[in-house]
Amino acid sequence: MYVSETLGHFGARFHCAPVTSDVMHHAKRAVVDWYAALIAGYGMNPTPLLEKAMAEDLDRGAARLALGRQASVKAAALIHGTASHAAEVDDIFKHAIYHPGAPTISAALAVAQQQQASGEEFLRAVIVGYEVSTRIGQILGRAHYQHWHNTGTVGTFGAAAAAAYLLRLDAAQFTHALCTAATFAAGLQQAFQMDSMSKPLHSGRAAEAGVAAAVMAQQGVTGSLDVFEGKMGMGVAMSNAPDWAPVLADLGEVFNICSMTFKNHTCCGHTFAPIDGALALQQAHGIDAADIAEIRVSTYAPALAVAGNPAPTTAAEARFSIPYVVATALLFGSVRLAAFDAARLADPTLRALMARVVLEVEPVLDQQFPGQRAAAVAITLHDGTQHRFLQPTRKGDPDLPLTDDDLQSKLEEFAGPVLGADALERVARQLWDLERAENVGFF
């Protein structure tokens, strides 16, 4: 079979597949984390602008937006997919350099509301979307990430697979949904090399396009079955003509949703190991930021290419600046939403500390990417004392995971101020008990 058929048959048959309690629990963790990211980004541009732009598709339809407004299914997928990526706190599958939650869960929820699906069916759709898309992303690999934003490209498959599952497409229809999604997939790295609103739109557009591909396939629209491995297919056009076989071999046996990274900082994931390493040094040696002469960060090349901005001027740019977030962590102890307000961006003490940050590629750590996201941090004090620490992973990665309590705290921090205490308590209880919900109308 073609790659598309292998994935399509897996998705269509998943209705009858057993799902262990562990896999189901990891799916719930992903949804809790997604919801925290959704509410965190809901008031951030471009989300409010999208609501204005999509006015004709709002206040009607079978889906509902986070704060209660009715929406068409595709509009809900687009707006939620954008909002849940806007604050840069959504999940990561590191082997695919990809944020699956924002496009996949946004699409799944919109279609689940339309279909009046149960909580268990919704979670199963999320699992299917994660498994299909993370495997495609892993195959496309680092070569794809050089020019393409994986959440915009690979995310289209997560959305299409989740939607196709909930629409109960048969194997042929499911396959064609993925094939059509392949030719919809887009999102350029250049779009966020300077200040813009494009990056979260990549996720939103992936969610919308994935839903559209599934609905089209339901009505008989077909795609090219060899769209992945063909001589002008996605593997050649958008990567380095990879072998598709290895990651498909354990499909249905190993579930990537159990190996997610959940963010502990409110910024680009490439900055996390430098932040964690700097904080570890500060805590171990009682370092006062005023005593620092130099902070040298040695890490993998894509981290510097994406997040090496030495002089950010906006919140969007600052989230992709290792000097900014490392200096923030050392001065304020954490990098959360307050790190990117106007006063912090203009803080002269922070700017002075940023100027002492030196970035360099460490070849050994570069070779370990994307499977390992490490950074070596060396802090030299004004008196000549030097402290060095190798941060081998990031807090939140599968080998140093956030606990359920950590995710609950994240939900409370990001959603509480918007929802209020009573609504937050109700939603949190329903999220953690999602597999027993009769439908997902409580979102």
Side-chain angles (χ1 to χ4, degrees), residues 3 14-15 37 61 77 87-88 94 102 131 146 162 195 205 213 221 240 254 266 291 345 363 399 421 443:
V3 171
F14 199 69
H15 291 279
E88 291 291 339
K94 63 180 181 178
E131 296 315 308
Q146 184 176 358
D195 188 43
R205 184 70 179 106
V221 173
N240 58 349
V254 174
T266 313
D291 296 330
L345 284 165
D399 48 352
F443 277 95

mmCIF file of all heavy atoms in Angstrom, residues 3 14-15 37 61 77 87-88 94 102 131 146 162 195 205 213 221 240 254 266 291 345 363 399 421 443:
data_model
loop_
_atom_site.group_PDB
_atom_site.id
_atom_site.type_symbol
_atom_site.label_atom_id
_atom_site.label_comp_id
_atom_site.label_asym_id
_atom_site.label_seq_id
_atom_site.Cartn_x
_atom_site.Cartn_y
_atom_site.Cartn_z
ATOM 1 N N VAL A 3 1.806 5.009 1.370
ATOM 2 C CA VAL A 3 1.848 5.569 2.727
ATOM 3 C C VAL A 3 0.478 6.112 3.114
ATOM 4 O O VAL A 3 -0.008 5.881 4.233
ATOM 5 C CB VAL A 3 2.918 6.679 2.810
ATOM 6 C CG1 VAL A 3 2.820 7.414 4.138
ATOM 7 C CG2 VAL A 3 4.314 6.100 2.624
ATOM 8 N N PHE A 14 -9.640 2.579 13.584
ATOM 9 C CA PHE A 14 -9.357 2.873 14.988
ATOM 10 C C PHE A 14 -10.626 2.883 15.842
ATOM 11 O O PHE A 14 -10.559 2.792 17.060
ATOM 12 C CB PHE A 14 -8.624 4.204 15.109
ATOM 13 C CG PHE A 14 -7.903 4.385 16.417
ATOM 14 C CD1 PHE A 14 -6.782 3.625 16.708
ATOM 15 C CD2 PHE A 14 -8.349 5.300 17.359
ATOM 16 C CE1 PHE A 14 -6.109 3.776 17.915
ATOM 17 C CE2 PHE A 14 -7.691 5.466 18.562
ATOM 18 C CZ PHE A 14 -6.563 4.697 18.849
ATOM 19 N N HIS A 15 -11.789 2.973 15.209
ATOM 20 C CA HIS A 15 -13.044 2.911 15.967
ATOM 21 C C HIS A 15 -13.157 1.597 16.738
ATOM 22 O O HIS A 15 -13.763 1.555 17.809
ATOM 23 C CB HIS A 15 -14.240 3.048 15.030
ATOM 24 C CG HIS A 15 -14.373 4.412 14.428
ATOM 25 N ND1 HIS A 15 -14.936 5.472 15.091
ATOM 26 C CD2 HIS A 15 -14.009 4.884 13.203
ATOM 27 C CE1 HIS A 15 -14.918 6.539 14.315
ATOM 28 N NE2 HIS A 15 -14.356 6.220 13.162
ATOM 29 N N ALA A 37 -3.579 26.569 26.724
ATOM 30 C CA ALA A 37 -2.979 27.380 25.655
ATOM 31 C C ALA A 37 -4.039 28.166 24.902
ATOM 32 O O ALA A 37 -3.825 29.320 24.512
ATOM 33 C CB ALA A 37 -2.202 26.475 24.697
ATOM 34 N N GLY A 61 -24.043 28.156 13.263
ATOM 35 C CA GLY A 61 -23.225 26.969 13.032
ATOM 36 C C GLY A 61 -23.282 25.991 14.193
ATOM 37 O O GLY A 61 -23.820 26.277 15.268
ATOM 38 N N ALA A 77 -12.490 25.872 13.901
ATOM 39 C CA ALA A 77 -11.175 25.236 13.779
ATOM 40 C C ALA A 77 -10.095 26.281 13.523
ATOM 41 O O ALA A 77 -9.015 26.250 14.137
ATOM 42 C CB ALA A 77 -11.197 24.197 12.663
ATOM 43 N N ALA A 87 -0.010 32.094 22.183
ATOM 44 C CA ALA A 87 0.759 32.416 23.395
ATOM 45 C C ALA A 87 2.053 31.615 23.509
ATOM 46 O O ALA A 87 2.807 31.798 24.470
ATOM 47 C CB ALA A 87 -0.104 32.193 24.639
ATOM 48 N N GLU A 88 2.303 30.721 22.558
ATOM 49 C CA GLU A 88 3.519 29.890 22.561
ATOM 50 C C GLU A 88 3.624 29.017 23.815
ATOM 51 O O GLU A 88 4.694 28.848 24.393
ATOM 52 C CB GLU A 88 4.773 30.762 22.429
ATOM 53 C CG GLU A 88 4.940 31.435 21.077
ATOM 54 C CD GLU A 88 5.248 30.466 19.953
ATOM 55 O OE1 GLU A 88 5.725 29.345 20.223
ATOM 56 O OE2 GLU A 88 4.992 30.839 18.797
ATOM 57 N N LYS A 94 8.778 16.455 19.913
ATOM 58 C CA LYS A 94 10.111 16.956 19.559
ATOM 59 C C LYS A 94 10.719 16.251 18.347
ATOM 60 O O LYS A 94 11.479 16.868 17.591
ATOM 61 C CB LYS A 94 11.054 16.861 20.755
ATOM 62 C CG LYS A 94 11.341 15.465 21.261
ATOM 63 C CD LYS A 94 12.285 15.507 22.462
ATOM 64 C CE LYS A 94 12.621 14.114 22.975
ATOM 65 N NZ LYS A 94 13.573 14.159 24.110
ATOM 66 N N ALA A 102 -2.461 22.269 18.840
ATOM 67 C CA ALA A 102 -3.230 23.411 18.344
ATOM 68 C C ALA A 102 -4.045 23.074 17.094
ATOM 69 O O ALA A 102 -5.262 23.296 17.069
ATOM 70 C CB ALA A 102 -2.301 24.598 18.105
ATOM 71 N N GLU A 131 -1.244 10.520 16.127
ATOM 72 C CA GLU A 131 -0.442 9.412 15.596
ATOM 73 C C GLU A 131 -0.142 9.593 14.117
ATOM 74 O O GLU A 131 0.996 9.405 13.677
ATOM 75 C CB GLU A 131 -1.149 8.074 15.847
ATOM 76 C CG GLU A 131 -1.302 7.721 17.308
ATOM 77 C CD GLU A 131 -0.039 7.968 18.123
ATOM 78 O OE1 GLU A 131 1.050 7.493 17.730
ATOM 79 O OE2 GLU A 131 -0.130 8.651 19.161
ATOM 80 N N GLN A 146 13.871 23.167 7.795
ATOM 81 C CA GLN A 146 14.787 24.217 7.346
ATOM 82 C C GLN A 146 14.032 25.384 6.700
ATOM 83 O O GLN A 146 14.421 26.543 6.846
ATOM 84 C CB GLN A 146 15.805 23.639 6.359
ATOM 85 C CG GLN A 146 16.854 24.646 5.917
ATOM 86 C CD GLN A 146 17.904 24.032 5.016
ATOM 87 O OE1 GLN A 146 17.888 22.828 4.734
ATOM 88 N NE2 GLN A 146 18.827 24.840 4.541
ATOM 89 N N ALA A 162 -8.144 13.676 12.540
ATOM 90 C CA ALA A 162 -9.107 13.777 13.632
ATOM 91 C C ALA A 162 -10.517 13.995 13.086
ATOM 92 O O ALA A 162 -11.490 13.371 13.546
ATOM 93 C CB ALA A 162 -8.714 14.913 14.577
ATOM 94 N N ASP A 195 8.804 40.441 12.957
ATOM 95 C CA ASP A 195 7.537 40.590 13.650
ATOM 96 C C ASP A 195 6.361 40.444 12.682
ATOM 97 O O ASP A 195 6.283 41.139 11.671
ATOM 98 C CB ASP A 195 7.489 41.963 14.344
ATOM 99 C CG ASP A 195 6.283 42.097 15.252
ATOM 100 O OD1 ASP A 195 5.993 41.122 15.969
ATOM 101 O OD2 ASP A 195 5.648 43.164 15.243
ATOM 102 N N ARG A 205 -4.853 27.790 10.173
ATOM 103 C CA ARG A 205 -5.132 27.400 8.781
ATOM 104 C C ARG A 205 -5.000 25.892 8.617
ATOM 105 O O ARG A 205 -5.766 25.274 7.854
ATOM 106 C CB ARG A 205 -4.170 28.118 7.835
ATOM 107 C CG ARG A 205 -4.453 27.856 6.377
ATOM 108 C CD ARG A 205 -5.754 28.515 5.908
ATOM 109 N NE ARG A 205 -5.981 28.254 4.488
ATOM 110 C CZ ARG A 205 -6.873 27.410 4.014
ATOM 111 N NH1 ARG A 205 -7.665 26.745 4.826
ATOM 112 N NH2 ARG A 205 -7.014 27.223 2.713
ATOM 113 N N ALA A 213 -10.503 19.166 4.127
ATOM 114 C CA ALA A 213 -10.082 17.975 3.383
ATOM 115 C C ALA A 213 -10.939 16.768 3.751
ATOM 116 O O ALA A 213 -11.325 15.969 2.878
ATOM 117 C CB ALA A 213 -8.605 17.689 3.659
ATOM 118 N N VAL A 221 -14.500 13.639 -2.954
ATOM 119 C CA VAL A 221 -13.315 14.270 -3.528
ATOM 120 C C VAL A 221 -12.112 13.363 -3.296
ATOM 121 O O VAL A 221 -11.878 12.892 -2.180
ATOM 122 C CB VAL A 221 -13.072 15.664 -2.913
ATOM 123 C CG1 VAL A 221 -11.744 16.252 -3.397
ATOM 124 C CG2 VAL A 221 -14.230 16.599 -3.246
ATOM 125 N N ASN A 240 13.987 15.624 2.140
ATOM 126 C CA ASN A 240 15.164 15.102 1.449
ATOM 127 C C ASN A 240 14.919 13.710 0.889
ATOM 128 O O ASN A 240 15.770 12.833 0.969
ATOM 129 C CB ASN A 240 16.369 15.099 2.396
ATOM 130 C CG ASN A 240 16.110 14.280 3.659
ATOM 131 O OD1 ASN A 240 14.968 13.886 3.911
ATOM 132 N ND2 ASN A 240 17.146 14.040 4.445
ATOM 133 N N VAL A 254 2.969 1.623 19.092
ATOM 134 C CA VAL A 254 3.572 2.694 19.875
ATOM 135 C C VAL A 254 2.764 3.958 19.629
ATOM 136 O O VAL A 254 2.470 4.294 18.481
ATOM 137 C CB VAL A 254 5.045 2.915 19.470
ATOM 138 C CG1 VAL A 254 5.630 4.127 20.190
ATOM 139 C CG2 VAL A 254 5.862 1.665 19.757
ATOM 140 N N THR A 266 6.681 30.325 28.669
ATOM 141 C CA THR A 266 5.751 30.923 27.709
ATOM 142 C C THR A 266 6.517 31.529 26.538
ATOM 143 O O THR A 266 6.503 32.747 26.327
ATOM 144 C CB THR A 266 4.904 32.001 28.417
ATOM 145 O OG1 THR A 266 4.427 31.470 29.642
ATOM 146 C CG2 THR A 266 3.714 32.394 27.573
ATOM 147 N N ASP A 291 25.948 40.497 39.258
ATOM 148 C CA ASP A 291 27.348 40.073 39.305
ATOM 149 C C ASP A 291 27.809 39.391 38.017
ATOM 150 O O ASP A 291 28.966 38.974 37.909
ATOM 151 C CB ASP A 291 27.558 39.104 40.476
ATOM 152 C CG ASP A 291 27.318 39.757 41.820
ATOM 153 O OD1 ASP A 291 27.560 40.979 41.934
ATOM 154 O OD2 ASP A 291 26.884 39.049 42.755
ATOM 155 N N LEU A 345 9.547 44.605 28.351
ATOM 156 C CA LEU A 345 10.287 44.746 27.103
ATOM 157 C C LEU A 345 11.222 45.955 27.121
ATOM 158 O O LEU A 345 12.276 45.941 26.483
ATOM 159 C CB LEU A 345 9.313 44.874 25.927
ATOM 160 C CG LEU A 345 8.632 43.591 25.465
ATOM 161 C CD1 LEU A 345 7.454 43.914 24.565
ATOM 162 C CD2 LEU A 345 9.616 42.685 24.735
ATOM 163 N N PRO A 363 28.627 21.610 18.297
ATOM 164 C CA PRO A 363 28.442 20.552 17.298
ATOM 165 C C PRO A 363 27.854 19.260 17.847
ATOM 166 O O PRO A 363 27.002 18.632 17.200
ATOM 167 C CB PRO A 363 29.859 20.338 16.751
ATOM 168 C CG PRO A 363 30.535 21.657 16.958
ATOM 169 C CD PRO A 363 29.986 22.180 18.257
ATOM 170 N N ASP A 399 11.299 12.858 29.159
ATOM 171 C CA ASP A 399 12.237 12.338 30.152
ATOM 172 C C ASP A 399 12.341 13.239 31.381
ATOM 173 O O ASP A 399 13.048 12.905 32.337
ATOM 174 C CB ASP A 399 13.625 12.121 29.532
ATOM 175 C CG ASP A 399 14.114 13.309 28.725
ATOM 176 O OD1 ASP A 399 13.332 14.253 28.505
ATOM 177 O OD2 ASP A 399 15.282 13.295 28.303
ATOM 178 N N ALA A 421 -13.226 31.651 38.850
ATOM 179 C CA ALA A 421 -12.958 30.468 39.666
ATOM 180 C C ALA A 421 -13.998 29.369 39.480
ATOM 181 O O ALA A 421 -13.660 28.187 39.342
ATOM 182 C CB ALA A 421 -12.855 30.869 41.140
ATOM 183 N N PHE A 443 -17.349 22.585 26.479
ATOM 184 C CA PHE A 443 -16.217 23.454 26.130
ATOM 185 C C PHE A 443 -16.729 24.863 25.834
ATOM 186 O O PHE A 443 -17.742 25.026 25.135
ATOM 187 C CB PHE A 443 -15.477 22.919 24.896
ATOM 188 C CG PHE A 443 -14.485 21.837 25.205
ATOM 189 C CD1 PHE A 443 -14.848 20.525 25.088
ATOM 190 C CD2 PHE A 443 -13.190 22.144 25.616
ATOM 191 C CE1 PHE A 443 -13.925 19.516 25.340
ATOM 192 C CE2 PHE A 443 -12.265 21.145 25.873
ATOM 193 C CZ PHE A 443 -12.650 19.834 25.736
#
